[in-house]
Amino acid sequence: MLLSINWLQEFIKLPKSITPFDLRDKLTMHTVEVEGIIDLAKQYDRVVVGKVLSVAPHPNADRLRLTKVDVKSEVLEIVCGAPNVAAGQLVPVALVGAKLPNGLEIKESEIRGVKSSGMICAEDELGLGHDHEGIMVLDKAKLGQEFSTYLNHNDIILEIDNKSLSNRSDLWGQYGLAREVAAIFDLKLKVYSDFIDSD
């Protein structure tokens, strides 16, 4: 089971002094085993919003294009194979050194004799779906913005071992786990009826 700390905070007010590691340790000692902590923002470390300035044919490959992409701090030359890439688009750009959710590490490379410094990403490469027909084109994004900020991925997720929950059906939801955290840390829990639409 996955426990969202953002969602948890809708039910209880966690003081800043309680870190995700404190939650992991206390929950593991008192109630359920926490197997891992996922920082969603770190999944997109070194992925930013870029603007495609130009697109030109690759001299040595019919299906590849040479692009110039502004990422605010610099203009990158990136070889791109997506058929939908066009000048003026705002796109997710994985910078050299990025490790994408699909495991791909971005390195400066030479593709058919042309240097490429980064990658314009498709949906599947970012772990956001299965589409690999073309690159993602972004709406209402800001040039140079961190991609995690664009997605509003500022949450931390606790991975809870399902076997730990098998005898505690009261913990099968976010509210049940919030109640448990409130008890462990002596915090006030919002009343469940506050979250039910009475209409």
Side-chain angles (χ1 to χ4, degrees):
M1 179 175 173
L2 302 177
L3 174 63
S4 158
I5 291 184
N6 283 354
W7 202 352
L8 183 67
Q9 298 211 71
E10 290 185 20
F11 306 127
I12 55 178
K13 186 173 182 180
L14 277 175
K16 289 185 179 178
S17 60
I18 298 175
T19 69
F21 301 101
D22 295 331
L23 281 171
R24 176 198 63 192
D25 295 345
K26 292 283 189 181
L27 277 169
T28 298
M29 294 300 294
H30 286 85
T31 314
V32 294
E33 183 181 349
V34 178
E35 296 182 316
I37 298 173
I38 304 167
D39 186 337
L40 292 182
K42 287 189 177 174
Q43 286 187 312
Y44 300 111
D45 190 34
R46 298 195 55 76
V47 180
V48 299
V49 174
K51 183 175 184 178
V52 180
L53 300 178
S54 65
V55 180
H58 192 295
N60 305 315
D62 293 340
R63 294 188 179 185
L64 298 178
R65 292 168 180 80
L66 307 181
T67 67
K68 288 191 178 180
V69 184
D70 182 2
V71 293
K72 196 171 184 181
S73 59
E74 61 183 318
V75 174
L76 303 173
E77 293 186 358
I78 298 175
V79 176
C80 182
N84 67 324
V85 66
Q89 293 172 331
L90 289 171
V91 294
V93 179
L95 305 175
V96 171
K99 186 171 182 180
L100 300 181
N102 70 354
L104 183 64
E105 291 186 49
I106 305 304
K107 299 175 181 173
E108 193 167 81
S109 58
E110 193 171 290
I111 302 172
R112 294 285 186 98
V114 177
K115 189 172 99 171
S116 184
S117 301
M119 185 172 84
I120 305 173
C121 300
E123 187 180 274
D124 65 332
E125 292 159 339
L126 295 167
L128 296 173
H130 302 292
D131 187 8
H132 196 73
E133 292 298 311
I135 57 165
M136 284 184 75
V137 179
L138 309 176
D139 293 323
K140 298 179 182 175
K142 295 178 184 173
L143 181 64
Q145 182 179 36
E146 295 287 336
F147 189 61
S148 59
T149 303
Y150 169 79
L151 290 177
N152 197 24
H153 270 207
N154 60 350
D155 200 359
I156 295 176
I157 307 293
L158 300 183
E159 288 183 284
I160 296 174
D161 175 31
N162 285 336
K163 293 185 291 297
S164 302
L165 301 171
S166 59
N167 295 319
R168 291 284 307 272
S169 57
D170 60 314
L171 301 178
W172 290 355
Q174 301 283 313
Y175 189 79
L177 283 163
R179 185 176 51 240
E180 195 71 15
V181 169
I184 291 169
F185 289 96
D186 195 25
L187 300 171
K188 186 175 179 183
L189 178 69
K190 290 183 183 174
V191 180
Y192 188 73
S193 59
D194 292 349
F195 301 96
I196 300 173
D197 188 356
S198 59
D199 292 341

